[in-house]
Amino acid sequence: LDWDVAQILNWNDTTPLYLIRNGNSNCRIVIADDADTNETMAAQDLQKFVKTSTGVTLEIMKESASVSSGKYIYLGATEASKRAGITPSVEQTMNNGFRMVRIGDHLYLRGYTSIGTRNSVYEFLTRYFGYDYYALDEIYVAKTEKVAVYDLDEVVNPSFDWRTANYGWAVWDTNTAAQMQMNQAPEFYINGWDCHYSYDIVSPVTYDYTNDRYKDWFAPRVVSTNGGSNEPVQLCYSNEEMAETY
């Protein structure tokens, strides 16, 4: 398969930027010196799936190690993206969206958050390398020796900002959730739990639930007059004093 179909419908007769040509590449992946887990994982998966598709390993490098010459794929909040004006706002992309831009010999993939940056990599892989996630042990990429990018300047703003499941590998496995452009509970729950549980914010230990002063702040497990447990299992959100503290 000659996978030189990237952005053909939008290419506008510009000179192609070849990421891969004749089974070779002089393109490198650049992340910020302080790149977080999402950006690092995205860079590693970009490298991994490009190699699966083409047999070519793109070097991953910190921005401080890069030089002015060469072709680079800048991931995330790099200084280069700031200089190029690639700084998506939450209004543009929300938390999970992103912007993908080609400027000359460089590509910029960046979200308002690093989660958005992570998502941009899988979208980029989908468009340019035929990436498709089916299952934990079934991820497809096209086999090719040539990948070209023509005009590219697109903001992707998802219809649903946070996307999750309540069961399955997208819940249990961080890599699976990322590779499906989905989210796990720690990314969007207030305290990182995967259920409605807010004791990290208003604790029944700090605010002693056995004390008459605070007992109405919490919902008991069993309301009982015959010896059943009254241990709290949740905050009482209808209690105005608790809500104000929260």
Side-chain angles (χ1 to χ4, degrees), residues 133-219:
Y133 185 100
Y134 294 100
L136 187 67
D137 57 352
E138 189 62 46
I139 301 175
Y140 174 82
V141 290
K143 296 295 184 180
T144 182
E145 293 185 350
K146 183 169 64 174
V147 177
V149 178
Y150 293 88
D151 282 356
L152 178 62
D153 188 349
E154 182 176 352
V155 172
V156 175
N157 190 341
S159 298
F160 296 93
D161 193 11
W162 299 105
R163 295 155 291 184
T164 190
N166 64 354
Y167 191 78
W169 286 108
V171 175
W172 306 325
D173 183 69
T174 300
N175 286 352
T176 296
Q179 290 164 356
M180 295 180 69
Q181 296 189 49
M182 296 183 71
N183 304 107
Q184 291 188 304
E187 295 177 341
F188 60 91
Y189 274 85
I190 291 173
N191 57 0
W193 289 75
D194 59 354
C195 57
H196 302 288
Y197 185 89
S198 299
Y199 285 173
D200 284 357
I201 300 172
V202 177
S203 167
V205 175
T206 303
Y207 301 93
D208 183 5
Y209 74 92
T210 64
N211 190 307
D212 287 344
R213 171 75 174 79
Y214 301 114
K215 68 178 183 179
D216 291 335
W217 286 29
F218 303 94

Side-chain angles (χ1 to χ4, degrees), residues 18-32:
Y18 284 100
L19 304 181
I20 310 292
R21 195 174 192 181
N22 299 322
N24 294 289
S25 179
N26 60 354
C27 186
R28 287 172 283 188
I29 302 166
V30 178
I31 57 177

Side-chain angles (χ1 to χ4, degrees), residues 87-97 111-113 157-158 161-162:
T87 54
S89 66
V90 67
E91 291 78 17
Q92 289 178 309
T93 67
M94 298 193 289
N95 294 285
N96 275 264
Y112 169 69
T113 67
N157 190 341
D161 193 11
W162 299 105

Side-chain angles (χ1 to χ4, degrees), residues 7-37:
Q7 292 291 311
I8 288 295
L9 296 178
N10 301 317
W11 69 297
N12 200 27
D13 200 27
T14 59
T15 302
L17 169 60
Y18 284 100
L19 304 181
I20 310 292
R21 195 174 192 181
N22 299 322
N24 294 289
S25 179
N26 60 354
C27 186
R28 287 172 283 188
I29 302 166
V30 178
I31 57 177
D33 287 11
D34 59 351
D36 70 7
T37 302

